[in-house]
Amino acid sequence: MQPTLFSSNHLTVSQLTFHIRKQLEGDPILQDVWVEGEISNLSRPNSGHIYFTLKDKNASLRCMMWKLDAARLRVNLQDGMAVEAHGKITVYEPQGSYQLAVNIIQPKGEGALYQEFLRLKAMLESEGLFDVERKRPVPELPHKIGIITSQTGAALRDMLNTLRRRLPLVQVILAPSPVQGVDAPPALVNALQSLNKQNPDVILLARGGGSIEDLWAFNDERVVRAVADSKTPIICGVGHETDFTLCDFAADLRAPTPTAAAELATQTTIDDLHDLLSTLYTRLFSSTVNLFAEQKAVLSALIARLRYASPERGIRADAQHLDELSRRALSALTHRIQLNAATVDGISKRLQSLNPEGILSRGYAIITRKEDGAVVSKVSQARGEMKVRVSDGEFEVKK
Amino acid sequence: MAKTSAKKLEKPVEELSYEEALTELEGIVGTLEDEQNPLEESMKLFERGQALVARCSVLLEAAQLKVQKLAGESVVAFEEESE
C-alpha cells in the first residue's frame, strides 16, 4: 500500500499511542497472563519497584513490578533465574513501550510442584497419616538420639553443637543420607529403617534451608510413609520456619529448623540435671540428720527413765542379791545404751562434718527449730522460732 | 524395700550409668524419707546415697557427646569436621 503523501486524516503520536494502549490493555488475554522466561537486566532502584527483562532464545519482554507486589516476593530474584511471571500488559506512553506489570513471580516449575504437593498431601491426609492421634510424645530425657541428615551439611554441625551444649550425656547415632536429588528419597527411607533397628529414643530428621526443589525429597511419598511407619518418635526439622514439608505433617513433632529439632529432643538439659542432683543431695542429707536426731532423743529418754526408776520396788525376798543383780543389770544396760548414744553421737558428728556449704552456696538453706534443734524438711515440722542457715551465716524466722 | 536396696548395693557405683545411679539415688532418698529403717541400714543407705551423688556429679561434669554413625548395619565412630 502506498502512503498517502498529503493525507488530512493524520494522527498525533499521542493519539496513536493511546490507540495502541487501548488495543493492548483491552485484550483480556494480555491482562491475565503467565509468561515463562529468564530474568536479565534486573534493577532495584530506591523507589522499591523492580525492573527486569524476561527473555528466551528469540525475544525479550520488559517487565516491572510495583513496590507493593515486590514486597510480597518469596524468592530472591537474580539475573539468569528461570521464572514464571504473572501479570498484565501495559503501555508506557512517554516511551511508546509496552511492558508486563508483574504481580506474581515464582521459580520455574514451582507451580507444578506445588500442585503435586497439594495432591499428595490430600491423599495421605485422607489415609490418616497426619492424624493427631498418631503423634507420640518425644522422651524428656533421651539416652540415645538418632540423626538423619547429610554428613557434610551445616544442619548436622548445628544439631551436634546444640546437643553438646544442652545434654552432652546423650549418645548420638548418625545415619548419613543425601537430602536432595533423585538418590535422596530411597536413601532417606533406608536410613529411617536402619536407624530404627538401633532402638534410639528419638530420631531427628533434618535438613538446612533451600528452595522448594531442594527440599522436595521430604515431600516424596516413600519418605513420608517411612516417617509415618517409624517405630521411634520422629522430630522433623527441615528448611526454615516458613517451609512446610509432608514429612513435617507425618512426624511426631515438627521443628522449624534443625537446631530447634535438637532443642525439642532435649527438653531436660544438663543444667536441670545438676539442679535435680543438688535437690536429691539436700534431701538425702536432711532426711538422715532428722532420723539420727530422733534416735538420739529416744535414747536420751531411755537413759533418763532408767536412772530415775526404782529397781528396788517390789523386791521382797533376797533383796540384797536382787539389788546387786539389778544394779549390775542397770549398769550394763546403761553402759550399752551410752555406747549406743556415743555411736549415734559419732554418726551425727560425721553427718555434720559432711559440710553442706556446697549446697548452701547454691542458694539452698537448712532450717532448724530453735526449741529442739530439729531440721525442718517438711511444712508440718515448722513451728516456733527457727534458724535459717545460709552460706555465710544464719538468721531467725518465726512461724 | 530394704531387701531390694541391699541387693542393689552389690554393684559398685563406678560401674553405674548416669540413669542407673540417678534411679537408685531417688529410691534411697525416698526410703530414708518415708520408711522406718534400722539405724545401721539407714547409715548404709546414706553412705550409698553419698557415693551415688558423687558418681552422678562426676558423670555430669565429664559428659562428652558421643557421636557414632551407621555404616550399613554396623555402628562406627564418627569424626566430626573441625570448624
Side-chain angles (χ1 to χ4, degrees), chain A residues 16 34 80 84 150 178 193 222 244 248 281 314 339 372 383 388:
Chain A
L16 179 66
W34 278 100
E84 295 159 356
S150 161
Q193 288 165 352
R222 292 164 288 176
F244 271 87
D248 285 323
Y281 186 46
L339 274 182
D372 58 1
R383 65 173 172 268
V388 178

Side-chain angles (χ1 to χ4, degrees), chain A residues 31 35 40 46 199 224 231 235 290 369 392 396:
Chain A
Q31 294 308 297
V35 189
S40 63
N46 288 334
N199 294 313
V224 181
K231 72 174 164 61
I235 302 176
N290 279 348
R369 283 201 300 258
D392 60 345
E396 290 183 8

Side-chain angles (χ1 to χ4, degrees), chain A residues 144-159:
Chain A
K144 199 195 272 188
I145 295 181
I147 293 183
I148 300 176
T149 193
S150 161
Q151 189 163 327
T152 53
L156 176 62
R157 202 184 59 223
D158 290 348
M159 285 188 286

Side-chain angles (χ1 to χ4, degrees), chain B residues 20-83:
Chain B
E20 289 170 333
L22 186 68
T23 308
E24 195 186 330
L25 178 60
E26 284 174 326
I28 284 177
V29 171
T31 307
L32 284 174
E33 283 175 340
D34 299 335
E35 290 184 26
Q36 294 288 333
N37 285 296
L39 268 190
E40 209 176 324
E41 174 75 3
S42 296
M43 201 56 223
K44 274 186 192 155
L45 286 176
F46 176 76
E47 280 173 352
R48 176 72 172 175
Q50 277 222 308
L52 290 168
V53 168
R55 172 69 177 160
C56 286
S57 186
V58 163
L59 287 174
L60 285 184
E61 295 300 335
Q64 276 201 320
L65 196 72
K66 185 181 174 197
V67 186
Q68 295 169 299
K69 75 167 181 177
L70 275 182
E73 297 291 311
S74 53
V75 179
V76 300
F78 176 67
E79 291 292 322
E80 278 177 70
E81 296 165 41
S82 49
E83 286 170 36

Side-chain angles (χ1 to χ4, degrees), chain A residues 13-67:
Chain A
V13 175
S14 294
Q15 287 170 327
L16 179 66
T17 307
F18 181 70
H19 181 74
I20 291 173
R21 177 176 174 176
K22 266 204 319 194
Q23 293 299 308
L24 295 184
E25 295 186 1
D27 182 337
I29 293 178
L30 297 181
Q31 294 308 297
D32 175 16
V33 65
W34 278 100
V35 189
E36 184 183 307
E38 191 175 287
I39 292 177
S40 63
N41 300 324
L42 180 67
S43 140
R44 296 166 174 274
N46 288 334
S47 62
H49 312 313
I50 297 177
Y51 301 91
F52 57 95
T53 304
L54 272 186
K55 61 175 190 180
D56 59 19
K57 250 185 259 173
N58 302 315
S60 63
L61 171 68
R62 292 178 64 167
C63 299
M64 65 88 57
M65 204 166 184
W66 295 108
K67 185 180 179 179

